[in-house]
Structures are given as C-alpha cells and as structure tokens.
C-alpha cells in the first residue's frame, strides 16, 4: 500500500489542479502514466495564471455584450416588440445555456489543457472530429476578430470621418480622412494594438480587458441612470437608406424620447416589422433573431484560454454561468426600459439612439469602442490558443510545427503572429457583411459539436466520465444540438450547408492523413455500448435455419505459414463470426506473468495487414487439445459463438513463410528469444520462426518437430463433433494464393476457375447418398464461397459417382432438382467408379471369408480367440457411423487417382466429405492414415464434416 500512495496522490492532484503538478515516483514518470495529462514544468518567471473573474467572467461578458448592447437593443425592440424581444432572448439563451451545461460537464471531467472547445471536442470525439472543428473554430475567431476591427473602424469613421459625399458639410469633429485605404490603415493600427497586448501574454490581456470591463460597466450604469434623469426630448433621426433611383417612401426626420410612460410601453409591446432604414430590406422574426443572436455567441471566450487559467475545471463552469446570467439580466432590463421610454419610430429609425438620450453623449461612443476592441482581442488571443493546441497535437504534421514555440513565460507568440497575419489578410476585404453570417454559423457548429461530445460521453456510459458538474442530461445535449442546428439554417441555409460540408471534408482529410492518437476514441466506447445492447438482444433460442451463417474458429499455430488459409477462410465466413485461435503451451502457475498479453499486438497487426474481418483469441494450456476445448467453450458472446472449427491437416509437409519474406534475414542477427529484441521489432516480425529454420516447436501445419501427436489431433476433431461443432480440415494451403488463382495474366471467362465438390462419403462406397446433413453442409459452404465477390466468376462442379450400365438420368435429374430447390448454381459431372468400388468389394469379400472360415478341429481356446477377434472387428465396423465398412489402401489410392483424373482443368479448391472419427480411440491412427491417402497431392482441399442442418427450401 505504501508503494501506491505517491501514484494515487499524483493522479488526484492532476485531476484537481493541473497548475500544481506533484512529482511522480521515480519508476513512473508523469508522461508515462496512462491517461494522465501532459504536464510541463513551469518555466522560470512564468506569471501567475488567471483566476475565475479575470480569466473567464470578464472576457465572456465583454464578448457577449460587444456592440449589441449599445447598437442593437433598440433595433430588436423596435422591430419585434417587447413580447417577442423577450421571447427571442429566452430562446437564444436557452440554446446557449444547453451548450454551457455541456461545456461545464466536460471541463469538470478532468484536467483541461490549452485549446478550450477544441481540446474538449478532440479528447471526447477523437482527432478527426476535434481537428476539423478546431480548424473551423480557429477561422471563426480569426474572422470574428477582423469583423470587430472593421466594425470599430466603421464606428470611428461614422463619428470622426470626413463624409465621402462632397455635398455633405462635415461637422467640427469629423477630421479623419475617409476611403478604402484610410479605413485599412485605421484597421491595421487597431489590430497592431491588439497584437501588442496579446504578444505580452494572457496576463496583460486580462488587465487590459479588466480596464475595458470597468469602462463598459460604467457606460451601462450611466445608460440606466439616463433613463431616469434625462428629460423627454426630440431626437433627430439619421438619413435613411435610399435606392439608387432616388425613389422610396418618405421617412420621419424626428422621433421622441418620452421617458417612462404607459402609452409608450403599450405602443412597444407588439411586433411592428418594417424595412431596415440602413439596407432597405424588410425585417422579419428570423432576420431580427439572427442579428440579435450574434451578440450571444461569446460563451467560449473564457474556455478558449483554458491553458492560461489557474484551474480550468473550476473556473470555466463558474465563470461562464456567471457571465451568461449577468448578460441575460442586463439585456432584459434594457429591453424593458427602452420599451417604456422610447417611441417606436425612434427605435426603428435610429440604432444609436442611446447616445442621443445619454447624460453625456461621448460616453456611449467610448462604450462602443471599448467593447468592440475587447471582442477583437478576445477573438485574436482565442484563435492563437486554438492554433497552438492544434500544433501541439501534430494533426497537420509539419505545417503547424512553428506554432508550437512559446516564450519564456509560456505565451505561444508564433501562434499569435500567425493569427494576426490571417486577421490582417481578412481586413483587406474592407467589408465583412457577407462573412458575418458564416462566422456566426461556425460558432454555432462548434457549440453543436461540444453538445455532441457531451452527449456521446453520456451515452457511452464510460465509468471514467463522472464530471463534478451534474446539472445536465442527455436531453440537454440533444436540445443544444437541435437548437444550434435550427439557428444555423435560420441565419443562412446555404452557408450552414457549406460549413457542414467543409467540416466533413476536413474530417476525412484528418482521418486519412493524421497519425493515430492516444487520446482514446469515443466511437469505441459507443460501439461497445451498442454491441453489448444488441448482443443481449441476440437470443440463441430464436435461431432459425433460414438465417444460419458460418461462425468459424480457425486454429493457427504460426501465421507465417497460414496466410493462404487465413485469407481463404475469411471468404467463406459470409458476414459471420471469424476468430483466429492460438494455443500456447505452458502453465500460468509457473510463469511470472501472462505471456499472451504481449502477443495480442502482433496478432491484431496481422489482422490489419491481411485486411480480414476477424477477432483474435489466445489461450494458455497444458496441451493443444485442452487449449482448443477452451477456445470452443469460451470464444464469442451470447448468440455469436463459433459453430465451425477449422484445423490445418496433420502431415509432414514443411511450412513456408508467406507472411514477411524478409523476416528470416531481418532476425538472423538477433536472438529470437530475446524479449527486448521482440519489442524493438515491428509487430509482424515478432512471430516465432517456422520449424526447420529454428529450434522452436509448434503445432500448426503439422510436421517435423510438432508437439501434437496423431492421437491428440484426431481427439481434437472428435471433441469438436461431440460439442456439435462442424469440422473442416484444410490441406495444401501453404502455397495458396487467391490473387494468383483468381486473376491470372490472361482474361478468362467464367468457366476457367473451378471449385470441385464431392458430396459423397468416399470412405463408404456402398452408400452414394448426397442428401445427408454432411453433404448438404458441403454444398452450403461451396455456395457461400461462390457468393463472395472475388469468387463469383468461379464455377461449382458437383461430382456424382455412378456405376456403369445403370441409367444416370434418374440420379442426375434428382440432383439437379435438389440444386434448383436449394438455389445453387452448379455443373453436375457424372463419374463412373465401378473399378474403384470393385477394389473395395474384393477386399471386403476376402475379409468376410477369413472371418467365416472356422476349422471343426479348433480347440476351445482358439474358438474364444476368434470370437474376441470377431467382436473386435464388429466394434471397429460399428465405430464408424458414417463409415461402416473397412477400406483398403489400394481402394483409397484408386479414389485419390479418380479425383485427380477429373481435375481438367485443375480446380482452385476441392470440397470433400469428412467422415466422423471412430469411437474407438485405437483406430485414430488408421482414420488419419485413410484421410492422408484420400487427399494425397490433391492441392488445396477442405475435408468437411457437418453436424447441424444448414439448408432449407422454405421461404
């Protein structure tokens, strides 16, 4: 217990406050701990990190206020009326509140690093989704910063700029030259001021925003006081928008500030949508709501600089919620006061009316300038932090490598300069009216992604997702996603569709180009959750023969020699379960650790390398037979369990390395038994060398040096049959190359690739039945192989053994009708085998003659011995349920020759009937010898024994 205490302390400290890392034990460096955040030692002289108020509350307040509180409140109330204005704010804040709840939940689920929303999304949804959203969020902040700079330039030019129309007489304060290049110069100067603040660091940024915050709060206080202090007055209205032809309705030139009057309130309660006097476009609920919502999209400002916060998990929830509640109260109070004291015409025709009714008019101008420059700085520093986080994660390789550099105080100054440069490029556009909508849509897409990340974490039910902020459910996440999606398409459906398409394009790009991350993928947790749910719904009691599919356990000793067989079996699984099984001999009680855990990486790499859809199951046992029993018992879950066992054939053929041709040469200079050397090699090189090239023994493609005997091999087959598993023995697949067989140099017709099927038990020549369970199972597997896309050009050849002199039309017609009923397309080939059967009956008659010949002079002992021998032979015959007669080696050689003679042209693979092993274990060697003679030199061959019905003619 004492050894684990430092590690526990380390993890507790990092999860609560990442700014105060404790040293981990010497044996476990902090960066080596699984799942722990990346910690860097604090640079010398680094300033104190930001608190809740300075780091989250102040930036978020200023970003959410921006210019809406000064220039759009009258617009909203004047167009929509008080009732709809309040409704708009309720809907808008409901949408952003759902996202705020998701942000709070994710940010309190562990240590949070730099990057804010990008960090949350990428660590929850994976690098693809996080990287694409991060790039979009970065560009949204860049364009947002330029948007606020240009807005500030326009505000300055509207107050101090010389009118471009020479017929207009400038006022005394209008002294600044106007024009595109002058506006660009003013914007560049403002942006340089923001750059200087951001280059110094987040600490000076916090101080600057705090000063601006004090100014904005002072202006707001003066605005509220002005409603009570300023007397009613007449306000001159600005010149309205005029069409190019000079025609249009006549607008009033003055409006009234009435002070608090009931008549004014009643006149402003209901909606009164008119044309916007600045653009001449007719307003509606959707257009007004879109304009108003732009002022509510600053909730991520505090989380964007999460890397500069003293305690992000503590600061972000409290600061963001405080800012949201405060701004909601201020907006609603302003709506009520404006509706009670300002004429509807004043609200509709003068968006800067607060300046005209203020105690000191320049104060409102100062508030507009302060809030705008603060919002620009917030977006600039937020963009730099997002870019820095993207660079640290290496999602885009060397493209962003420079952005990783930081100053001695930890400020990512290169990222700040890169962000400033992009903002400067956007300033050249001069006007951002066309980009303003897409910027808002980008922000909404990020908010929806944060909600999606929280929803995925909640639905995955991962034990490690336990945020300290619990005021959220999956319902709030869905409401946030739906709300953001609706707002995106409400603002601009075309831009919303384009932004989603852009995000998907980035997602695919990162998926194929970025390296694999170690953050963990939420998709894996969701897949696990869904698979578990559906596995529980997969009831084995509802299985039906119509929906049977092969679920295969392939036993592999060494993948180096089994590549051909592994890829071939992958073709006949027909979307069923496919498990690669491996038995390692050993006793866990005598070993210091489980030796199988280190092997899984190599086996999974094999699955990826061969591009097969298979699981891997390894076991440790004292014998191969017990190991196979283990795998047959425990492989799979619920209704997904192997129903077919596939084994390599037991012969003396030396295996060939088909996995990595250079594996032998690459390991000759190293000790293959050295664990350190194994760890340094690629996963596919870590498999043991094949027998004949090393001293290691294995049990796979059985031959010299094998640790599995013939008796045990047949016992494995017998065990599988007893467990009601179908059995397949694969022979001569060492050199099997599917690509070479199916894609020869010349263009072939459909009939040039053949799959031969012999559905008759060739070890029982007295029975030519091809409709038993095993024969139908043979036909089913052959048909499944023919259904695979790569094997569709192959032709099935079904061989019907007949006797000469008898009519073959009847059996052939019956077999053809059976194939038609089973919807199997195959060529039926009749094969006369009288001479082969004659060899069998000659041996059989001689055997019976010897049994029946008894001397009358035999003694009692001889009679008893003969009785025992006769009983033994009878037991032998009865021990073969599907092979009730004795066959000779000559007969088997003749059958083998018969099969070879029919192979014109040679087939790609053969399917043969596998008889059931004898019940008498003393006959196992004979049984295996017969199979060896039967399949000698036949090429790739499958000996198949089926135990369960798999074919039906019912609909």
């Amino acid at each position: 217990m004492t050894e684990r205490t430092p590690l526990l302390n380390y993890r507790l400290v990092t999860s609560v406050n990442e700014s105060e890392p404790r040293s981990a034990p010497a044996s476990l460096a902090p960066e080596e701990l699984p799942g722990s955040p990346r910690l860097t030692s604090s640079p010398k002289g680094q300033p104190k990190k930001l608190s809740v108020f300075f780091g989250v509350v102040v930036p978020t307040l200023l970003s959410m206020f921006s210019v809406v509180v000064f220039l759009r409140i009258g617009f909203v109330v004047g167009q929509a009326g008080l009732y709809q204005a309040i409704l708009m704010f309720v809907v808008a804040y409901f949408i952003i509140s759902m996202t705020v709840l998701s942000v709070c939940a994710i940010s309190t689920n562990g240590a949070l690093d730099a990057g804010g929303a990008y960090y949350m999304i990428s660590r929850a949804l994976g690098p693809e989704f996080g990287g694409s959203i991060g790039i979009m969020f970065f560009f949204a902040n860049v364009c947002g910063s330029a948007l606020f700079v240009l807005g500030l330039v326009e505000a300055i030019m509207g107050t101090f700029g010389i009118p471009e129309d020479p017929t207009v007489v400038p006022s005394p304060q209008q002294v600044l030259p106007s024009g595109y290049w002058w506006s660009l110069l003013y914007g560049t100067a403002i942006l340089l001021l923001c750059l200087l603040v951001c280059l110094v660091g987040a600490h000076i940024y916090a101080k600057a925003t705090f000063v601006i915050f004090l100014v904005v709060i002072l202006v707001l206080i003066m605005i509220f006081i002005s409603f009570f202090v300023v007397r009613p007055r007449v306000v001159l209205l600005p010149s309205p928008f005029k069409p190019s032809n000079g025609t249009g309705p006549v607008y009033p030139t003055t409006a009234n500030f009435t002070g608090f009057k009931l008549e004014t309130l009643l006149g402003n309660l209901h909606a009164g949508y008119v044309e916007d006097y600045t653009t001449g476009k007719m307003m509606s609920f959707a257009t007004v709501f879109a304009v108003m919502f732009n002022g509510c999209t600053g909730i991520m400002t505090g989380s964007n600089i999460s890397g500069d916060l003293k305690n992000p998990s503590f600061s972000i929830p409290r600061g963001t919620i405080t800012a949201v509640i405060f701004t909601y109260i201020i907006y609603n109070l302003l709506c009520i006061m404006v509706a009670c004291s300002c004429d509807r015409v004043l609200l509709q025709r003068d968006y800067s009316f607060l300046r005209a009714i203020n105690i000191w008019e320049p104060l409102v101008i100062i508030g507009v300038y302060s809030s705008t420059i603060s919002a620009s700085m917030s977006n600039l520093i937020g963009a730099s932090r997002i870019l820095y986080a993207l660079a640290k994660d290496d999602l885009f390789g060397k493209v962003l490598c420079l952005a990783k550099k930081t100053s001695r105080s930890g400020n990512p100054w290169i990222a700040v300069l890169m962000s400033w440069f992009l903002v400067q490029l956007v300033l050249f556009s001069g006007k951002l009216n066309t980009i303003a909508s897409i910027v808002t849509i980008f922000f909404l897409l990020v908010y929806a992604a944060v909600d999606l990340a929280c929803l995925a974490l909640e639905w995955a039910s991962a034990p490690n997702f336990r945020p300290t902020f619990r005021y959220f459910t999956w319902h709030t996440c869905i409401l946030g996603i739906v709300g953001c999606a609706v707002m995106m398409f409400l603002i601009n459906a075309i831009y919303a569709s384009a932004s989603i398409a852009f995000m998907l394009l980035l997602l695919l790009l990162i998926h194929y180009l970025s390296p694999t991350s170690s953050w963990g993928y939420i998709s894996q947790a969701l897949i696990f959750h869904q698979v578990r749910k559906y596995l529980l719904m997969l009831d084995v009691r509802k299985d039906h023969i119509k929906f049977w599919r092969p679920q295969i356990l392939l036993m592999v000793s060494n993948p180096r020699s089994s590549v051909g067989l592994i890829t071939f079996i992958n073709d006949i699984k027909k979307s069923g379960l496919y498990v690669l099984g491996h038995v390692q001999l050993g006793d866990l009680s005598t070993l210091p650790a489980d030796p199988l855990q280190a092997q899984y990486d190599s086996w999974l790499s094999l699955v990826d390398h061969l591009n097969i859809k298979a699981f891997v199951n390894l076991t440790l046992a004292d014998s191969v037979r017990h190991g196979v029993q283990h795998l047959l018992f425990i492989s799979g879950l619920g209704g997904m369990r192997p129903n077919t066992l596939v084994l390599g054939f037991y012969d003396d053929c030396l295996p060939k390395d088909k996995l990595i041709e250079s594996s032998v040469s690459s390991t000759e200079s190293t000790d293959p038994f050295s664990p350190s050397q194994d760890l340094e090699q690629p996963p596919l090189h870590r498999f043991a060398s094949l027998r004949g090239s090393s001293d290691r023994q294995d049990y796979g493609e059985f031959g010299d040096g094998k640790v599995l005997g013939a008796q045990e091999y047949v016992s494995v087959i017998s065990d599988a049959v007893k467990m009601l598993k179908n059995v397949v023995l694969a022979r001569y697949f060492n050199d099997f190359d599917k690509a070479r067989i199916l894609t020869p140099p010349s263009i072939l017709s459909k009939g040039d690739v053949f799959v031969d099927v012999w559905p008759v038990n060739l070890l029982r020549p007295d029975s030519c039945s091809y409709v038993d369970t095993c024969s139908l199972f043979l036909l089913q597997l052959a048909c499944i192989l023919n259904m695979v896309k790569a094997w569709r050009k192959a032709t099935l050849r079904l061989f019907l053994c007949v006797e000469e002199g008898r009519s073959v039309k009847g059996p052939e017609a019956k077999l053809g009708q059976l194939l038609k009923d089973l919807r199997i397309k195959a060529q039926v080939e009749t094969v006369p085998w009288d001479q082969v059967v004659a060899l069998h009956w000659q041996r059989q008659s001689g055997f019976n003659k010897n049994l029946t010949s008894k001397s009358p002079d035999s003694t009692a002992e001889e009679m008893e011995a003969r009785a025992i021998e006769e009983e033994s032979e009878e037991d032998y015959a009865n021990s073969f349920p599907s092979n009730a007669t004795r066959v000779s080696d000559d007969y088997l050689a003749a059958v083998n020759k018969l099969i070879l003679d029919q192979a014109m042209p040679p087939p790609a693979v053969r399917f043969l009937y596998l008889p059931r092993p004898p019940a008498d274990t003393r006959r196992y060697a004979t049984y295996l010898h017969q199979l060896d003679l039967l399949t000698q030199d036949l090429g790739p061959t499958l000996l198949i024994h089926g135990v369960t019905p798999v074919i039906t003619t019912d609909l």
Side-chain angles (χ1 to χ4, degrees):
M1 186 67 186
T2 56
E3 294 179 355
R4 298 180 61 184
T5 303
L7 178 58
L8 294 174
N9 289 340
Y10 169 81
R11 286 184 172 171
L12 288 173
V13 170
T14 54
S15 64
V16 174
N17 187 350
E18 67 167 357
S19 66
E20 299 176 0
R22 306 281 181 89
S23 59
S27 59
L28 286 175
E31 60 272 12
E32 294 173 352
L33 293 176
S36 62
R38 188 189 307 175
L39 297 177
T40 56
S41 57
S42 299
K44 205 168 184 179
Q46 182 176 354
K48 184 179 179 181
K49 291 195 173 184
L50 305 179
S51 62
V52 178
F53 183 75
F54 290 100
V56 183
V57 175
V58 171
T60 306
L61 277 175
L62 292 176
S63 183
M64 295 185 71
F65 276 148
S66 64
V67 296
V68 174
V69 70
F70 301 112
L71 300 180
R72 290 295 180 265
I73 285 294
F75 166 76
V76 174
V77 177
Q79 296 284 351
L82 180 62
Y83 288 155
Q84 289 192 14
I86 293 177
L87 177 63
M88 287 181 182
F89 278 108
V90 169
V91 173
Y93 271 81
F94 175 78
I95 292 173
I96 65 172
S97 295
M98 298 301 101
T99 303
V100 167
L101 296 180
S102 300
V103 171
C104 295
I106 297 177
S107 62
T108 59
N109 189 48
L112 195 63
D113 206 347
Y118 158 72
Y119 189 86
M120 298 179 193
I121 297 169
S122 61
R123 268 49 178 184
L125 299 182
E128 296 93 345
F129 212 100
S132 58
I133 289 294
I135 285 292
M136 298 183 70
F137 200 26
F138 168 71
F139 283 122
N141 278 274
V142 166
C143 295
S145 180
L147 179 67
F148 287 118
V149 169
L150 289 177
L152 179 56
V153 170
E154 291 180 4
I156 293 174
M157 295 305 295
T159 305
F160 302 103
I162 299 175
E164 296 184 11
D165 189 352
T167 61
V168 178
V169 180
S171 60
Q173 72 269 16
Q174 292 179 320
V175 295
L176 295 178
S178 60
Y180 170 77
W181 293 107
W182 285 106
S183 297
L184 180 61
L185 178 63
Y186 304 146
T188 302
I190 295 170
L191 184 59
L192 279 175
L193 176 63
C194 298
L195 173 64
L196 292 176
V197 173
C198 295
L199 279 178
V200 175
H203 193 58
I204 192 66
Y205 161 78
K207 291 182 178 179
T209 53
F210 179 65
V211 172
I212 296 174
F213 170 75
L214 293 179
V215 173
V216 172
I217 293 299
L218 176 62
V219 174
L220 285 175
I221 293 173
M222 295 305 296
I223 288 175
F224 280 111
I225 294 175
S226 297
F227 283 115
F228 296 94
V229 174
V230 175
R231 295 181 179 181
R233 63 177 63 175
V234 176
V235 179
L236 292 175
L237 299 178
S239 301
F241 169 83
K242 293 181 180 179
S244 58
N245 56 11
T247 62
V250 178
Y251 294 106
T253 57
T254 60
N256 296 319
F257 171 71
T258 64
F260 290 102
K261 283 188 177 182
L262 181 60
E263 294 179 2
T264 306
L265 175 62
L266 295 176
N268 290 326
L269 288 179
H270 301 284
Y273 294 105
V274 296
E275 289 183 353
D276 180 8
Y277 77 93
T278 62
T279 62
K281 295 181 180 179
M282 187 65 186
M283 293 293 101
S284 64
F285 181 90
T287 55
V288 174
F289 185 64
V291 172
M292 182 275 303
F293 193 81
N294 286 333
C296 305
T297 56
I299 57 175
M300 290 290 188
T301 307
S303 60
N304 283 347
I305 57 173
S306 54
D308 298 300
L309 298 177
K310 186 183 299 183
N311 189 344
S313 299
F314 178 85
S315 302
I316 291 176
R318 288 159 178 80
T320 306
I321 292 175
T322 301
V324 168
I325 294 174
F326 184 79
T327 54
Y328 178 74
I329 293 173
I330 294 298
Y331 277 136
N332 281 276
L333 285 178
L334 280 175
C335 288
I336 294 172
M337 290 192 171
V338 165
C340 292
S341 59
C342 297
D343 188 7
R344 173 65 68 94
V345 176
L346 176 62
L347 300 178
Q348 292 176 342
R349 304 301 175 190
D350 187 3
Y351 297 155
S352 59
F353 72 97
L354 289 176
R355 183 177 59 183
I357 66 173
N358 200 271
I359 299 174
W360 186 47
E361 291 189 13
L363 199 59
V364 176
I365 298 176
I366 295 173
V368 172
Y369 295 173
S370 301
S371 60
T372 307
I373 197 170
S374 170
S376 179
M377 278 195 300
S378 297
N379 280 271
L380 179 60
I381 197 169
S384 66
R385 270 36 180 192
I386 296 168
L387 184 63
Y388 173 64
L390 286 166
K392 281 204 309 179
D393 289 337
D394 289 324
L395 294 184
F396 298 92
K398 297 182 179 179
V399 177
L400 300 178
C401 61
L402 288 177
K404 298 180 185 179
K405 294 186 178 181
T406 61
S407 63
R408 297 181 65 183
S409 61
N411 184 34
W413 61 278
I414 294 290
V416 173
L417 288 176
M418 294 174 69
S419 303
W420 164 80
F421 178 73
L422 291 176
V423 175
Q424 182 65 54
L425 289 181
V426 178
L427 287 181
F428 279 97
S429 64
K431 301 287 183 181
L432 276 184
N433 292 338
T434 56
I435 302 179
S437 296
I438 205 167
V439 169
T440 304
I441 288 173
F442 274 16
F443 278 114
L444 286 171
L445 196 58
V446 173
Y447 298 164
V450 173
D451 288 318
L452 179 63
C454 188
L455 177 66
L457 290 170
E458 179 70 10
W459 274 357
S461 300
N464 283 322
F465 182 63
R466 43 179 185 271
T468 56
F469 183 88
R470 296 301 306 169
Y471 300 102
F472 78 99
T473 65
W474 64 268
H475 305 86
T476 62
C477 300
I478 290 181
L479 288 174
I481 295 172
V482 172
C484 291
V486 169
M487 275 306 309
M488 286 168 55
F489 286 92
L490 191 64
I491 292 172
N492 194 308
I494 297 177
Y495 286 171
S497 302
S499 62
I500 293 175
F502 181 57
M503 181 199 70
L504 295 177
L505 180 63
L506 287 173
L507 190 147
L508 293 175
L509 185 68
I510 297 173
H511 175 73
Y512 287 106
L513 297 182
S514 66
T516 303
S517 71
S518 59
W519 308 333
Y521 292 81
I522 189 64
S523 58
Q524 296 298 306
L526 290 173
I527 291 171
F528 177 89
H529 186 267
Q530 292 302 108
V531 167
R532 171 189 166 275
K533 182 173 72 173
Y534 288 115
L535 273 176
L536 291 173
M537 296 170 61
L538 190 60
D539 192 346
V540 293
R541 296 170 295 183
K542 298 179 182 179
D543 283 346
H544 194 277
I545 187 175
K546 289 189 298 185
F547 307 110
W548 180 91
R549 65 183 71 234
Q551 304 193 81
I552 299 172
L553 170 63
L554 171 62
M555 296 304 303
V556 180
S557 170
N558 194 323
R560 293 186 182 278
S561 61
S562 306
V563 172
L565 180 59
I566 293 173
T567 54
F568 178 78
I569 297 300
N570 185 66
D571 286 340
I572 66 172
K573 69 179 187 302
K574 188 55 179 175
S575 302
L577 178 68
Y578 184 21
V579 180
L580 300 181
H582 174 74
V583 179
Q584 179 165 329
L585 301 182
D587 185 1
L588 188 60
S589 61
T590 62
L591 298 173
D594 182 7
L596 301 178
Q597 298 304 317
Q599 299 181 21
Y600 272 99
D601 186 32
S602 299
W603 284 89
L604 295 176
S605 298
L606 172 73
V607 171
D608 296 337
H609 175 72
L610 299 180
N611 194 26
I612 60 174
K613 298 177 181 179
F615 299 94
V616 174
N617 212 341
L618 312 180
T619 189
L620 188 70
D622 57 353
S623 68
V624 175
R625 180 183 182 184
H626 290 164
V628 176
Q629 289 178 358
H630 295 168
L631 293 177
L632 286 175
F633 277 126
I634 67 174
S635 293
L637 284 173
M640 293 188 66
R641 292 185 178 276
N643 55 30
T644 304
L645 173 67
V646 181
L647 300 171
F649 196 76
Y650 191 98
D651 57 24
D652 294 327
C653 296
L654 284 176
K656 299 179 182 179
D657 191 343
K658 295 293 183 179
L659 181 59
I660 303 174
E661 298 293 338
S662 60
S663 61
V664 175
S665 60
S666 65
T667 57
E668 282 179 352
S669 59
T670 62
D671 179 11
F673 295 95
S674 173
S676 60
Q677 294 291 348
D678 284 347
L679 292 176
E680 293 175 1
Q681 294 173 346
L684 290 179
H685 288 265
R686 297 176 192 167
F687 291 112
S689 301
L690 296 174
R691 64 179 185 273
S693 60
S694 75
D695 294 332
R696 291 193 185 183
Q697 295 178 334
D698 68 284
Y699 65 87
E701 296 291 324
F702 308 101
D704 295 337
K706 50 187 174 284
V707 296
L708 179 66
Q711 190 80 6
E712 187 178 3
Y713 176 78
V714 181
S715 298
V716 170
I717 302 174
S718 179
D719 293 341
V721 174
K722 291 177 184 177
M723 298 168 68
L724 298 181
K725 307 294 183 183
N726 308 300
V727 179
V728 177
L729 306 182
R731 190 175 191 185
Y732 297 122
F733 277 85
N734 277 339
D735 294 322
F736 183 81
D737 187 350
K738 184 177 72 173
R740 178 177 53 83
I741 293 173
L742 299 179
T743 56
S746 60
I747 300 176
L748 300 179
S749 62
K750 179 178 174 62
D752 286 323
V753 179
F754 293 97
V755 175
D756 287 0
V757 182
W758 295 76
V760 181
N761 184 359
L762 297 174
L763 296 188
R764 186 175 176 179
D766 59 330
S767 173
C768 295
S769 173
Y770 47 80
V771 292
D772 63 353
T773 300
C774 188
S775 298
L776 294 178
F777 184 76
L778 238 76
L779 290 175
Q780 180 77 316
L781 288 188
C783 179
I784 289 174
L785 179 65
N786 199 214
M787 294 169 68
V788 177
K789 183 178 180 180
W791 290 87
R792 284 177 186 169
K793 292 185 178 181
T795 301
L796 296 184
R797 292 191 301 192
L798 191 61
F799 291 93
L800 176 63
C801 297
V802 296
E803 297 182 10
E804 290 183 354
R806 293 188 180 184
S807 175
V808 299
K809 293 184 178 179
E812 189 174 359
K814 289 182 180 179
L815 183 58
Q817 184 61 40
L818 175 65
L819 294 176
K820 182 178 180 182
D821 292 341
L822 298 178
R823 291 89 61 204
I824 298 176
K825 188 176 181 179
Q827 294 180 3
V828 178
E829 304 282 347
T830 57
V831 180
W833 68 332
D834 300 65
Q835 296 180 357
V836 177
V837 174
L839 290 175
H840 164 71
W841 290 118
Q842 290 175 8
R843 171 62 186 266
Q844 195 68 15
S845 59
F847 175 71
N848 292 334
K849 184 177 180 180
N850 290 333
L851 287 178
T852 54
S853 62
K854 299 179 182 179
S855 173
D857 300 329
S858 299
T859 62
E861 290 80 4
E862 292 175 346
M863 292 290 291
E864 184 178 356
R866 287 181 180 178
I868 294 174
E869 182 181 355
E870 186 175 343
E871 183 180 358
S872 175
E873 297 296 343
E874 184 179 357
D875 290 343
Y876 171 78
N878 293 334
S879 67
F880 285 77
S882 59
N883 182 28
T885 56
R886 163 167 282 197
V887 293
S888 64
D889 290 353
D890 294 337
Y891 165 76
L892 292 171
V895 172
N896 178 262
K897 184 176 184 302
L898 177 69
I899 296 174
L900 286 172
D901 291 342
Q902 307 304 317
M904 294 303 293
V909 64
R910 289 182 174 88
F911 288 68
L912 300 184
Y913 190 115
L914 174 66
R916 183 170 181 166
D920 187 357
T921 58
R922 294 172 297 177
R923 305 295 179 181
Y924 278 1
T926 303
Y927 171 78
L928 189 58
H929 174 68
Q930 291 175 350
L931 298 180
D932 179 55
L933 292 177
L934 178 66
T935 59
Q936 191 74 37
D937 300 324
L938 289 186
T941 303
L942 295 182
L943 288 162
I944 302 172
H945 181 79
V947 296
T948 56
V950 295
I951 289 183
T952 179
T953 57
D954 296 337
L955 183 63

